[in-house]
Amino acid sequence: MVTAIYPGSFDPAHLGHLDVARRGAQIFDRLIFAVNAGQSAKTRLFTVEERVELARVALADVPNVIVDSFQGLLVDYARQVGARVIVKGLRTVADFGDEFQQAHMNGALMPGIESVFLMTRPEYAFMSSTLLKEVARLGGRIGGMVPPGVEQALRQRFGTLEPV
Ligand code: PNS
């Protein structure tokens, strides 16, 4: 039984994140979509509870995905849930340096933990939660980039919901 953790801020989760989660769930027995409740909570648009709920709804059809949150070191959480794999998505070469450092730091803190990288599918390679929030805030179209619940939540948050 191999448990993998897919950690991130997911503020909010977009289709690129959900695609990595679904693909990871096909490789590993159990995938924990782990929302970081860490220090920079003030700079987040959504609370950790909201981020968890949005992801939970979007991944409800995948039986071996569990959506959870964690605080503190990722490796401590990995030990707590019995995970020995960390899954990350890689969009472009720009992601590589940071991911390289994190993978080796996590490996130094918890010998035996493996980081596995899934290439983001080309159609999602340009997506970032930061950009999506900016587009939504300015009233741009985000349909087809985020799941319906996230689109609704973003448009509500920014008051850009069209009347029905
Ligand atoms: O979506 P993000 O913000 O790129 O995710 C970064 C995340 C949550 C994976 C990373 O910041 C993390 O693992 N934070 C937990 C604290 C920790 O363990 N830091 C050392 C990691 S090398």
Side-chain angles (χ1 to χ4, degrees):
M1 170 90 176
V2 180
T3 298
I5 305 178
Y6 175 32
S9 306
F10 305 121
D11 184 39
H14 54 65
L15 293 189
H17 294 136
L18 300 173
D19 180 59
V20 168
R22 287 169 188 276
R23 287 159 60 204
Q26 285 177 356
I27 300 171
F28 301 104
D29 298 304
R30 188 167 76 131
L31 183 128
I32 304 181
F33 188 99
V35 179
N36 183 21
Q39 310 100 339
S40 41
K42 278 187 213 141
T43 62
R44 302 288 180 221
L45 180 63
F46 294 105
T47 66
V48 66
E49 291 81 13
E50 289 169 330
R51 286 179 273 148
V52 164
E53 186 54 26
L54 290 169
R56 213 165 255 164
V57 169
L59 291 165
D61 59 313
V62 195
N64 64 331
V65 170
I66 294 162
V67 181
D68 192 14
S69 63
F70 73 101
Q71 237 166 0
L73 281 178
L74 180 61
V75 290
D76 288 340
Y77 178 69
R79 285 193 192 95
Q80 191 189 313
V81 296
R84 56 184 165 94
V85 176
I86 296 168
V87 168
K88 292 283 194 83
L90 269 187
R91 284 170 300 195
T92 64
V93 72
D95 284 343
F96 180 79
D98 199 35
E99 293 298 346
F100 181 89
Q101 281 186 314
Q102 288 188 44
H104 287 302
M105 178 58 82
N106 285 324
L109 294 171
M110 181 180 170
I113 191 112
E114 281 292 352
S115 291
V116 171
F117 296 92
L118 299 184
M119 292 292 168
T120 302
R121 287 197 198 285
E123 60 266 40
Y124 303 130
F126 64 95
M127 284 181 198
S128 86
S129 298
T130 305
L131 266 185
L132 284 165
K133 282 182 280 193
E134 179 172 315
V135 171
R137 182 169 55 83
L138 298 172
R141 283 169 181 271
I142 51 166
M145 300 185 202
V146 291
V150 169
E151 181 178 3
Q152 170 97 352
L154 279 170
R155 293 169 72 196
Q156 247 165 13
R157 192 59 51 103
F158 293 123
T160 49
L161 256 190
E162 282 161 20
V164 277

